[in-house]
């Protein structure tokens, strides 16, 4: 609906501004009143056009008001009278599959059914005569036209239709014996013209003639309304895809990602949406190439079966990344454009941290990327900014509440929290919720006792036990630990806190797991921000801020629709299960990506995401590179920004074999813990030799992979990933024996230990005193049955980034344990893991620039 929405909005603005101008002019010139009436009609029609509950519009108006402007404002699919220009054109063309036949014309045809083959039309001009003539001729009757004369009426027709002839009397002697006459006479009802159809039996004399109005026209109006509703219901059903690809012509050598992205003009997003079966009202356009998809599509397609769920994970990566996003896009292009299987890519919006830090963006690369890549990699639709705003609103609310509680009496706090407005004092809904949690079943502020007022107004947060931090979407190591409240206006409320990267906010995790606005709002309300001095958890709802958070996040939960270079649909949705639930038939493949290595991203995806959504993956695509395997096989360190050592550019089969039999084998085993088949995708780089690629594929299959294929999507697009797509299709068709790694009823410590030993390969875990205290506290508060979300380095299976391959014989140190109650998991911090990255010596931003004349961006990748 994107562009049409904008047109309707523009029309409304024009109507509104024109009405204001006419109202002003009307005071000077009363003759302007008819134009104002037309504008009011147009404005009302625009509202009815957009109302999903209205399926038919009947213009019960004086003839002078049914102008061309009014008719062309009316949506043809709601024009049950069939009088709009488009519907009339469809009737003349003989296309009745979408339009409507005017009910009066249908009524006339119904009455003519048994009255011969020749029909004379008398009087009337314009759409009505045209519609009647078209229907008569399509019924294989002959139509004649005549002016008034007794000779023509007597000699020419088996039936006569009198169209809009006013009050003119038709003597019986004018009509040929045995002929029929149908009199379409306009009757006036309070100044409004209504056609009344009179079928007249010609065996009468003028003194005994009784004219009975036919109900046929009314019945055909009802039929049109029913037809309109039926079409609407049909439109709500799942629609087969009719997706047309854009031709991809890869160049050699492969240009930069940005050059490739700019060379392909994206298909208009509203056209893309229509081709994949989205309805116009389910789309909110953000420009020409991206749009939000409304969650109403979930309800419309709730009866559809789920598609095939494909998870793209990876081996433990180098600091440079191994191309999971690129493989995800390449695989979707191969499945759709080359195997002709409807497929969606499901990606996360990249953070500005890595985009301007070391790793770059996350749109894919080469001829397997999301376009326009600069829009994808930068602000997109502002979702991460919304997360930042919501997160920091909570942080501001915490510090403000602590200040006010420290400097005001109970009475002063109560008077400010529940102010008297126009002499009336009442609680807001969120305050009533807090009263109920406190066990106070009162709604009248005047009825609270002093003790109840004290409990209500004082959260009594312990400054040393506040767990909520501010966030910013930039790698900034100097914000890891800060002091706030140092200004004199804060009256000594000084405390230590810190910043996290925006995508580490619990609100981001809630976006990943919420399946509706209501679910998201409830999760936001449950977020625990700290603990009171009496050891009670304090939530965002206690702060009174959860409703405001839902307002800030209401659009962020909607996925953003974009496309790949070969025009395969992509949803950017912060990893929530929208795609699998919304756009599927059983033949659709949903390809999504898990962050970092399989030991981190895939494990969390299976144990948290699949548990919350009830969805089960069909296949794991495990991405490996010769470069990373050489590192795990004993190669030298790989550093971002530094040239690769020769071991990585020259053929070295022993290093490749070592990495395959250590890290690759372990990651395949991790996937098998969950009962999911694995297909290994070898992301080919130009320095890889054929012998190295063949060796990886051979050992991967020896280690239990269903198949292992080289992928050249970076250089060739979907065609370079077609063998992988075929292997994924075959693996997805086989039954899997999916299972979770642990039972959530196990203790927090045992769940952590299970992950450490079975996934990472640790001998055991060691909790710090602080971590031990917190796990006990979480059990006391009833959080012990939540799943575990480990925060660990992605550069090693262990907690030590320099330990490559598949380390063993280590004890995993648990420094801290935190709780994301709104999101619904416990997250232990392993070793020195930080939630705020830092910038390297030479960040990516050195190469990013803007031409002020052309506005072209350079340097993004």
């Amino acid at each position: 609906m994107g562009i049409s929405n904008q047109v309707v909005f523009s029309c409304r603005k024009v109507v509104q501004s024109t009405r204001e101008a006419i109202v002003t002019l009307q005071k000077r010139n009363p003759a302007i009143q008819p134009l104002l009436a037309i504008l009011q009609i147009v404005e009302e029609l625009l509202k009815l056009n957009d109302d999903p509950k209205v399926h038919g519009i009947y213009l019960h108006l004086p003839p002078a008001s049914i102008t061309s402007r009014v008719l062309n404002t009316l949506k043809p699919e709601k024009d049950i009278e069939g009088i709009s220009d488009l519907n009339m054109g469809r009737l003349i063309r003989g296309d009745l599959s979408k339009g409507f036949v005017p009910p009066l014309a249908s009524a006339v045809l119904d009455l003519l059914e048994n009255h011969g083959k020749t029909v004379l039309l008398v009087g009337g001009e314009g759409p009505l005569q045209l519609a009647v003539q078209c229907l008569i001729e399509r019924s294989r009757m002959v139509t004649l036209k005549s002016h008034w004369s007794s000779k023509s009426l007597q000699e020419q027709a088996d039936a006569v239709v009198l169209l809009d002839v006013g009050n003119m009397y038709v003597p019986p002697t004018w009509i040929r014996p045995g002929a029929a006459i149908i009199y379409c006479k306009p009757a006036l009802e309070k100044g409004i013209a209504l056609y009344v159809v009179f079928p007249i039996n010609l065996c009468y004399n003028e003194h005994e003639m009784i004219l009975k109005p036919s109900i046929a026209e009314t019945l055909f109006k009802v039929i049109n309304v029913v037809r309109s509703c039926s079409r609407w219901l049909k439109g709500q059903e799942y629609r087969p895809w009719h997706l047309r690809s854009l031709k991809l012509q890869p160049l050699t050598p492969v240009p930069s990602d940005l050059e490739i992205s700019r060379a392909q003009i994206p298909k208009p997003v509203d056209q893309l949406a229509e081709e994949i079966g989205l309805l116009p009202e389910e789309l909110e356009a953000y420009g020409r190439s991206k749009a939000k998809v409304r969650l109403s599509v979930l309800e419309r397609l709730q009866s559809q079966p789920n598609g095939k769920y494909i998870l793209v994970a990876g081996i433990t990566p180098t600091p440079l990344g191994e191309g999971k996003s690129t493989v995800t896009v390449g695989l979707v292009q191969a499945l759709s454009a080359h195997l002709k299987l409807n497929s969606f890519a499901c990606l996360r919006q990249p953070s500005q941290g890595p985009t301007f830090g070391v790793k770059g963006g996350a749109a894919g690369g080469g001829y397997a990327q999301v376009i326009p890549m600069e829009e994808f990699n930068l602000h997109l639709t502002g979702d991460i900014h919304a997360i930042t705003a919501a997160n920091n609103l909570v942080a501001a609310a915490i510090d403000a509440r602590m200040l006010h509680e420290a400097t005001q009496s109970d009475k002063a706090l109560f008077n400010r929290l529940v102010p008297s407005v126009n002499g009336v004092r009442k609680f807001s809904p969120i305050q009533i919720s807090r009263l109920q949690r406190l066990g106070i079943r009162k709604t009248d502020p005047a009825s609270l006792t002093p003790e109840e007022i004290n409990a209500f107004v004082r959260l009594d947060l312990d400054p040393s036990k506040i767990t909520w931090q501010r966030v910013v979407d930039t790698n900034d190591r100097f914000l890891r630990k800060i002091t706030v409240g140092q200004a004199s206006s804060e009256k000594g409320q000084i405390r230590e806190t810190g910043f996290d990267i925006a995508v580490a906010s619990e609100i981001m995790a809630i976006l990943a797991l919420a399946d509706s606005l209501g679910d998201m709002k409830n999760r936001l309300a449950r977020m625990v921000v700290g603990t009171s001095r009496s050891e009670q958890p304090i939530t965002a709802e206690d702060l009174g801020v959860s409703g405001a958070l839902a307002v800030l996040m209401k659009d962020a939960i909607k996925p953003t629709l974009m496309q790949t270079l070969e025009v395969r649909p992509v949803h950017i949705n912060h990893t929530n299960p929208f795609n699998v639930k919304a756009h599927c038939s059983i033949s659709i493949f949903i390809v999504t990506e898990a962050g970092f290595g399989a030991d981190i991203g895939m494990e969390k995806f299976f144990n948290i995401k699949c548990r919350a959504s009830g969805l089960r993956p069909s296949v794991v695509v495990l991405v490996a590179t010769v470069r990373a395997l050489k590192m795990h096989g004993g190669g030298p360190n790989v550093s971002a920004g530094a040239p690769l050592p020769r071991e990585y550019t020259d053929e070295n089969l022993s290093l490749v074999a070592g990495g395959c039999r250590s890290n690759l084998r372990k990651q395949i085993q991790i996937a098998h813990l969950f009962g999911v088949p694995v297909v290994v995708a070898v992301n080919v780089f130009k320095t890889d030799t054929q012998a190295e690629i063949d060796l990886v594929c051979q050992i991967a299959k020896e280690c239990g992979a269903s198949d292992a294929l080289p992928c050249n999507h970076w250089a060739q697009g979907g065609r370079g990933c077609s063998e992988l797509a075929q292997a994924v299709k075959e693996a997805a068709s086989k039954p899997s024996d999916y299972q979770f790694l642990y039972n959530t009823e196990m203790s927090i410590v045992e769940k952590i230990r299970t992950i450490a030993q079975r996934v990472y390969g640790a001998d055991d875990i060691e909790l710090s005193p602080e971590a031990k205290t917190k796990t006990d506290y979480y059990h006391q508060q009833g959080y012990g049955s939540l799943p575990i979300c480990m925060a660990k380095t992605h550069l090693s299976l262990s907690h030590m980034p320099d330990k490559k391959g598949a380390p063993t014989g280590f004890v995993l140190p648990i420094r801290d344990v935190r709780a994301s109650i709104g999101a619904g998991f416990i997250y232990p911090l392993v070793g020195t893991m930080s939630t705020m990255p830092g910038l390297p010596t030479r960040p990516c931003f050195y190469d990013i620039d803007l031409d002020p004349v052309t506005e072209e961006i350079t340097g993004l990748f």
Side-chain angles (χ1 to χ4, degrees):
M1 180 190 262
I3 293 175
S4 60
N5 255 350
Q6 294 173 6
V7 171
V8 168
F9 177 70
S10 300
C11 287
R12 284 192 178 130
K13 290 188 72 175
V14 169
V15 168
Q16 184 178 355
S17 59
T18 307
R19 280 189 63 191
E20 291 170 356
I22 289 175
V23 169
T24 303
L25 289 172
Q26 187 185 5
K27 296 177 181 177
R28 305 173 187 171
N29 183 6
I32 206 82
Q33 177 65 34
L35 182 56
L36 180 58
I38 295 296
L39 288 174
Q40 290 173 330
I41 293 169
V42 168
E43 190 170 20
E44 189 62 31
L45 283 177
L46 288 171
K47 294 177 185 176
L48 294 172
N49 282 345
D50 285 349
D51 189 340
K53 297 177 182 178
V54 174
H55 303 300
I57 300 173
Y58 170 49
L59 296 180
H60 199 60
L61 298 169
S65 297
I66 305 179
T67 64
S68 176
R69 183 172 186 179
V70 169
L71 290 178
N72 291 327
T73 299
L74 180 61
K75 263 190 177 180
E77 57 266 34
K78 296 188 178 185
D79 170 29
I80 61 167
E81 292 183 282
I83 57 175
S84 66
D85 291 351
L86 182 57
N87 277 333
M88 193 59 64
R90 286 169 173 164
L91 176 63
I92 294 171
R93 195 171 62 243
D95 177 15
L96 301 181
S97 61
K98 293 182 179 179
F100 295 97
V101 177
L104 179 61
S106 296
V108 169
L109 188 69
D110 183 63
L111 295 171
L112 286 171
E113 203 168 272
N114 299 312
H115 290 285
K117 293 293 183 180
T118 304
V119 179
L120 179 66
L121 303 181
V122 181
E125 295 291 340
L128 177 59
Q129 184 191 54
L130 196 59
V132 171
Q133 182 178 344
C134 283
L135 290 178
I136 291 173
E137 291 176 350
R138 198 162 291 127
S139 299
R140 298 183 179 181
M141 290 185 271
V142 178
T143 57
L144 304 171
K145 296 181 183 178
S146 174
H147 297 293
W148 288 102
S149 78
S150 61
K151 182 178 180 181
S152 62
L153 290 174
Q154 286 177 341
E155 295 179 357
Q156 298 184 40
D158 299 317
V160 178
V161 178
L162 306 179
L163 299 170
D164 197 8
V165 294
N167 293 319
M168 183 171 290
Y169 176 64
V170 183
T173 56
W174 283 22
I175 307 300
R176 193 180 73 186
I181 180 171
I182 298 174
Y183 192 6
C184 300
K185 177 183 179 181
L188 290 180
E189 181 181 304
K190 298 182 180 179
I192 297 174
L194 299 173
Y195 275 103
V196 180
V197 181
F198 293 93
I200 304 175
N201 186 337
L202 296 185
C203 299
Y204 67 91
N205 64 62
E206 60 185 66
H207 303 293
E208 298 173 343
M209 181 174 63
I210 300 175
L211 302 180
K212 295 184 179 180
S214 171
I215 62 171
E217 183 186 9
T218 303
L219 288 175
F220 281 109
K221 283 178 183 175
V222 173
I223 289 170
N224 280 355
V225 172
V226 172
R227 185 175 288 124
S228 175
C229 293
S230 298
R231 289 173 182 169
W232 181 84
L233 289 171
K234 185 72 175 175
Q236 299 300 301
E237 296 175 359
Y238 171 76
R239 298 180 178 186
W241 288 19
H242 302 285
L243 191 57
R244 295 183 293 275
S245 300
L246 294 178
K247 190 174 182 181
L248 195 63
Q249 296 179 319
L251 301 177
T252 303
V254 177
S256 72
D257 293 350
L258 201 51
E259 289 173 319
I260 293 171
S261 174
R262 287 197 184 128
Q264 188 76 298
I265 298 175
K267 182 179 291 187
V269 71
D270 57 339
Q271 182 183 343
L272 172 66
E274 182 181 1
E275 290 178 4
I276 61 173
L278 286 171
L279 303 180
E281 58 267 25
E282 291 166 348
L283 212 64
E284 298 174 0
Y286 280 64
R288 182 181 182 276
S289 56
K290 57 185 181 292
K292 286 287 190 181
V293 180
R294 293 179 178 173
L295 301 186
S296 59
V297 70
L298 291 170
E299 182 178 353
R300 177 170 69 89
L301 299 180
Q302 61 183 340
S303 62
Q304 285 298 121
N306 290 333
K308 300 291 185 181
Y309 209 6
I310 314 301
L311 178 67
V312 177
I315 65 171
T316 303
T318 69
L320 307 176
E322 308 316 308
K324 292 190 302 298
S325 299
T326 309
V327 171
T328 299
V329 175
L331 176 57
V332 165
Q333 292 186 156
L335 286 166
S336 293
H338 300 275
L339 268 63
K340 307 305 179 185
L341 297 170
N342 294 338
S343 306
F344 254 105
C346 179
L347 300 174
R348 297 162 297 157
Q349 180 185 351
S351 163
Q352 286 184 184
T355 299
F356 293 101
V358 174
K359 186 174 173 289
Y367 288 100
Q369 58 174 303
V370 181
I371 57 172
M373 67 90 79
E374 56 264 60
E375 292 185 24
F376 177 85
N377 282 327
L378 296 176
H379 307 285
L380 199 61
T381 49
D383 295 351
I384 293 181
H385 299 316
I387 292 167
T388 302
N391 186 99
N392 293 344
L393 178 61
V394 176
I398 291 169
D399 287 315
R401 186 60 175 264
M402 291 173 64
L403 169 68
H404 295 313
E405 287 188 24
T407 56
Q408 297 180 46
S409 66
D410 288 356
K411 181 179 179 181
L413 279 170
F414 188 72
N415 288 338
R416 286 176 170 84
L417 288 171
V418 193
S420 175
V421 179
N422 297 326
V424 178
R425 188 192 300 273
K426 64 178 182 179
F427 293 117
S428 67
I430 202 168
Q431 289 176 327
I432 291 175
S433 294
R434 171 159 171 76
L435 288 169
Q436 291 173 347
R437 288 194 304 279
L438 292 170
I440 302 172
R441 308 296 175 185
K442 297 178 180 179
T443 57
D444 180 6
S447 65
L448 266 63
T449 66
E451 292 77 15
E452 290 171 337
I453 289 175
N454 175 269
F456 171 72
V457 302
R458 297 208 175 270
L459 302 180
D460 199 24
L461 273 162
D462 186 339
S464 67
K465 294 183 179 179
I466 293 173
T467 56
W468 197 265
Q469 301 204 124
R470 289 167 171 82
V471 299
V472 64
D473 196 32
T474 303
N475 291 357
D476 192 344
R477 66 179 74 246
F478 284 88
L479 292 178
R480 289 171 180 167
K481 192 172 184 179
I482 63 169
T483 303
V484 296
Q486 296 191 77
S488 59
S489 56
E490 274 56 78
K491 302 179 181 179
Q493 298 298 307
I494 298 173
R495 69 180 182 91
E496 284 190 350
T497 183
F499 273 76
D500 296 326
I501 189 80
V503 290
S505 169
E506 182 176 354
I507 296 175
M508 171 63 92
I510 286 173
L511 274 188
L513 295 167
D515 59 14
S516 66
L517 274 173
D519 184 29
M520 182 185 73
K521 183 177 179 181
N522 291 334
R523 289 174 180 268
L524 291 170
R526 293 198 302 265
M527 294 188 305
V528 173
V529 302
T531 306
S532 70
R533 289 184 173 88
S534 60
E535 296 296 318
Q536 293 302 307
I538 303 300
T539 67
E541 190 170 33
D542 289 323
L543 282 168
V545 75
S546 56
L549 299 181
V551 169
L552 285 171
M553 299 303 300
K554 70 179 181 66
D555 290 323
I557 192 175
K558 303 169 189 172
T560 302
L561 178 65
M562 294 186 75
Q563 62 194 276
T564 72
L565 284 163
E566 295 186 59
V567 197
R568 302 303 101 185
V570 178
H571 268 163
I572 297 89
N573 64 352
H574 316 291
T575 74
N576 73 35
F578 180 91
N579 290 293
V580 184
K581 292 185 175 182
H583 296 293
C584 292
S585 73
I586 199 165
S587 62
I588 291 183
F589 285 71
I590 304 301
V591 185
T592 190
E593 176 191 345
F596 304 121
D599 57 302
I600 300 179
M602 184 183 71
E603 180 273 317
K604 294 175 184 177
F605 184 91
F606 287 159
N607 279 323
I608 300 174
K609 185 65 166 292
C610 293
R611 201 185 297 267
S613 68
L615 301 170
R616 300 293 180 263
S618 306
V619 183
V620 167
V621 175
L622 189 65
V623 178
T625 62
V626 168
R627 176 179 69 191
L629 290 169
K630 286 180 176 179
M631 179 187 72
H632 291 297
N637 287 336
V638 176
S639 300
L644 285 172
R646 287 189 58 185
E647 288 86 346
Y648 296 99
T649 56
D650 295 344
E651 184 176 284
N652 193 318
L653 297 178
S654 65
L655 289 180
V656 172
C660 287
R661 293 194 170 95
S662 58
N663 196 270
L664 180 60
R665 180 195 299 274
K666 178 63 175 175
Q667 302 287 13
I668 293 172
Q669 290 172 350
I670 294 170
H672 287 166
L673 288 174
F674 298 90
V676 183
V678 177
V679 175
V680 171
V682 183
N683 189 13
V684 175
F685 284 61
K686 61 183 178 181
T687 55
D688 301 344
T689 69
Q690 191 60 47
E692 290 173 329
I693 295 168
D694 291 343
L695 183 60
V696 175
C697 294
Q698 174 195 328
I699 298 177
K701 286 184 274 191
E702 291 173 1
C703 293
S706 300
D707 209 339
L709 291 309
C711 303
N712 292 283
H713 48 278
W714 182 81
Q716 300 174 13
R719 181 167 56 87
C721 225
S722 56
E723 290 185 355
L724 174 67
Q726 185 62 44
V728 167
K729 177 187 175 184
E730 292 174 5
S733 66
K734 299 174 183 176
S736 62
D737 185 23
Y738 184 82
Q739 58 188 357
F740 295 116
L741 185 67
Y742 54 78
N743 188 320
T744 54
E745 296 306 315
M746 295 166 57
S747 71
I748 293 173
V749 171
E750 283 306 308
K751 284 181 284 196
I752 296 172
R753 180 177 285 113
T754 299
I755 295 172
Q757 292 177 335
R758 300 191 67 189
V759 176
Y760 306 152
D763 285 349
D764 203 352
I765 61 173
E766 182 180 14
L767 273 69
S768 69
E770 180 182 4
K772 181 65 170 65
T773 299
K774 285 190 174 180
T775 58
D776 293 341
Y777 172 74
Y778 295 146
H779 276 290
Q780 292 170 8
Q781 294 298 327
Y783 306 147
S785 61
L786 293 177
I788 304 298
C789 181
M790 301 289 280
K792 179 187 78 70
T793 178
H794 64 291
L795 298 174
S796 172
L797 281 162
S798 73
H799 61 287
M800 300 165 282
D802 58 332
K803 299 296 183 183
K804 306 302 181 183
T808 57
F810 62 93
V811 175
L812 193 74
I814 308 301
R815 171 170 56 90
D816 194 7
V817 178
R818 299 176 184 173
S820 291
I821 305 305
F825 54 72
I826 303 293
Y827 67 102
L829 297 179
V830 178
T832 58
M833 179 67 185
S834 173
T835 51
M836 169 56 84
L839 288 171
T841 304
R842 193 185 190 283
C844 299
F845 60 63
Y846 274 87
D847 302 311
I848 298 172
D849 203 357
L850 175 72
D851 187 317
V853 177
T854 65
E855 297 187 11
E856 283 195 351
I857 298 169
T858 57
L860 273 179
F861 68 95

